[in-house]
Amino acid sequence: MKAIIPAAGLGTRFLPATKCTPKELLPVLNKPVIQYVVEEALEPRGVDEVVIVNSHEKPQIEKYFSPDQDFEAYLHAHGKDALAEKVHAAGALPVSFVYQDDPKGLGHAVYMAKDKMDGSPFFILLGDYFVPDRQMCVNMQKVSEEHGGASVIAVAPVPADQVSRYGIIAGECVGTLTGEEAQDIEQEGAVWKVTGLVEKPAPEDAPSHLFIVGRYLLSPRIMDLLATQAAGAGGEIQLTDSMERLLDEEEMYALVVDPAEGCDTGTPAAWAATNARMALRDAAQREAFLEALGPTDELK
Ligand code: G1P
């Protein structure tokens, strides 16, 4: 089973930093953002390869995930075995690359990985967000198994005035992750049967206010639909539009998640906050972080 991470964007929100460094390689503490996403993608049972959809403008990502035996040998020779192990681990992750040099939209990016797929369902993880405990995709896999291997997406409530930024679902609550009755149909753990999907609707057209958070477990049939997908919102080939067409043929479910379980790295402010959150939850970094931060009342 495979997972796809689209990573061909220009990272314009982070310019000028992204003039030379792909946004995917910006660090959260001492690890690049995309490595957290790759490690999350490998967590569900059966996922054995991550396909990164890159652009040829960003060869540094491929270099990062390549083995570097000379550097490892150098670190070992200088007694830095723990660092050598970290360098080794990055190069040993089961990552492969395809390319999207023409930014035609998320659906187009995913389609670029078609030849890497083996006819099984696959995950898609959008790379501006990662879930430190890595359980979101694992839970989606559970929901899929409970519903005959159907496609499952993660969704969360969003205020009505923000629906036009996202893909929004229509559907009805049919249960919960734990099998108990849902107390609140928009609460974390609620499971919906999806009956419609719309990308970036105007608030008055939104069929619900549950938005797609960027974690998908999709039927391989989606690739056939993407092959003929016309451009949609923003003139882009939208994954959401092909998922809407998939509903004519197959069932799809949505798992309500708490997006705050994850860390956003999509803007400089969110990225900075994610670094702070991760430093605070890392036992080895927490004290040094708080000391370096100084008196927090001066920050307000
Ligand atoms: C993409 C998807 C959208 C989803 C969003 C989550 O939109 O098309 O359905 O809700 O990611 O971040 P984008 O952010 O690329 O505009």
Side-chain angles (χ1 to χ4, degrees), residues 129-152:
Y129 176 79
F130 67 88
V131 181
D133 78 2
R134 305 176 188 166
Q135 290 308 294
M136 195 177 283
C137 290
V138 173
N139 289 337
M140 290 162 62
Q141 190 172 49
K142 272 187 208 154
V143 174
S144 176
E145 281 164 5
E146 277 157 24
H147 294 278
S151 297
V152 177

Side-chain angles (χ1 to χ4, degrees), residues 106 126 165-168 199-200 211-214 216 238 240:
L106 177 61
L126 303 190
R165 294 191 205 165
Y166 299 105
I168 304 293
E199 182 66 21
K200 300 189 172 53
F211 82 102
I212 304 170
V213 304
Y216 310 76
Q238 297 289 355
T240 306

